[in-house]
Amino acid sequence: MPPILPAPGQRLRSLWSRLSPYPGGKWLFSRILGRTAPYSGTIGARVEQLEPGYARVVLADRRRVRNHLDSIHAVALVNLAEQASGLAVLMGLPPDVRGILTGLTITYHKKARGRLAAECRCAIPAVTGSLDYEAVATITDSSGDVVAQAVARWRLGPVKSA
C-alpha cells in the first residue's frame, strides 16, 4: 500500500507557516512552489500573502515576461492568475477534499506594465460529492487599475480511498 501523503493544502499551509515569518521565507516558499509546479515557476512570481481562501501573488516587470508590445505577456498574466486562484482554493480545502483545475478564462482590460499583483479571495463550499466551483483572480497594476480578471473553474470532490 502506498504511503498516504498529506493533502496539497495541508502541505502548503505547513510550509507557509514554517517559512513566511522569517526574512527571505516568502521568497524561499515561492521558489519551492516554483520547483514543485515547474511551469508556474517560470514567471518568478512571489507569494506575499497566503491563508485559507486567500492568496496575493506579485510579479515583477522584467524582460523575461514581456512581449513584443513592451508589456507583460498575456500568458504570464494567465499563469499569475492561475497561481493566485490555485493557492487560495487549495489552502481552503479541508484534508478530505481534492481539487483539480478544469478550466480557466481571462479577460484583459489594459496593457500590463510595472509590478503586478494577483489576488483571489474565495469561500470553499461544503463538499460532500463532486461539484464545480469558480474562483476569481484579479490582477492589478501599481496604480490599482485592473489589468486582467480570470475565472478558474475547479472540480472539487472527496478524496477517494485507496
Side-chain angles (χ1 to χ4, degrees):
M1 174 183 249
I4 297 174
L5 298 173
Q10 286 179 292
R11 292 191 307 260
L12 288 169
R13 281 190 295 275
S14 174
L15 189 60
W16 179 256
S17 67
R18 282 196 329 253
L19 296 177
S20 65
Y22 297 103
K26 293 176 183 178
W27 176 87
L28 182 57
F29 176 88
S30 300
R31 297 295 73 82
I32 292 169
L33 181 64
R35 299 276 306 202
T36 304
Y39 183 75
S40 294
T42 62
I43 63 170
R46 181 175 171 200
V47 180
E48 280 196 343
Q49 291 178 270
L50 194 54
E51 60 190 58
Y54 178 75
R56 178 181 167 85
V57 184
V58 297
L59 178 65
D61 186 346
R62 58 198 189 289
R63 187 177 187 285
R64 74 180 297 171
V65 295
R66 285 191 158 245
N67 59 27
H68 64 288
L69 302 172
D70 201 31
S71 60
I72 297 176
H73 197 283
V75 176
L77 296 175
V78 169
N79 194 329
L80 183 65
E82 191 274 334
Q83 279 187 35
S85 74
L87 287 168
V89 169
L90 291 175
M91 286 284 288
L93 292 179
D96 60 341
V97 174
R98 65 182 178 156
I100 186 166
L101 187 69
T102 60
L104 186 64
T105 58
I106 190 163
T107 302
Y108 302 100
H109 298 285
K110 68 180 270 193
K111 284 186 179 179
R113 293 190 172 112
R115 185 174 188 264
L116 303 177
E119 290 186 277
C120 180
R121 184 172 304 278
C122 57
I124 305 299
V127 178
T128 56
S130 183
L131 65 93
D132 291 328
Y133 177 75
E134 291 187 345
V136 176
T138 302
I139 302 173
T140 56
D141 62 18
S142 58
S143 300
D145 292 338
V146 174
V147 297
Q149 192 166 49
V151 177
R153 284 175 300 288
W154 288 82
R155 173 71 44 92
L156 306 178
V159 174
K160 295 183 179 167
S161 308

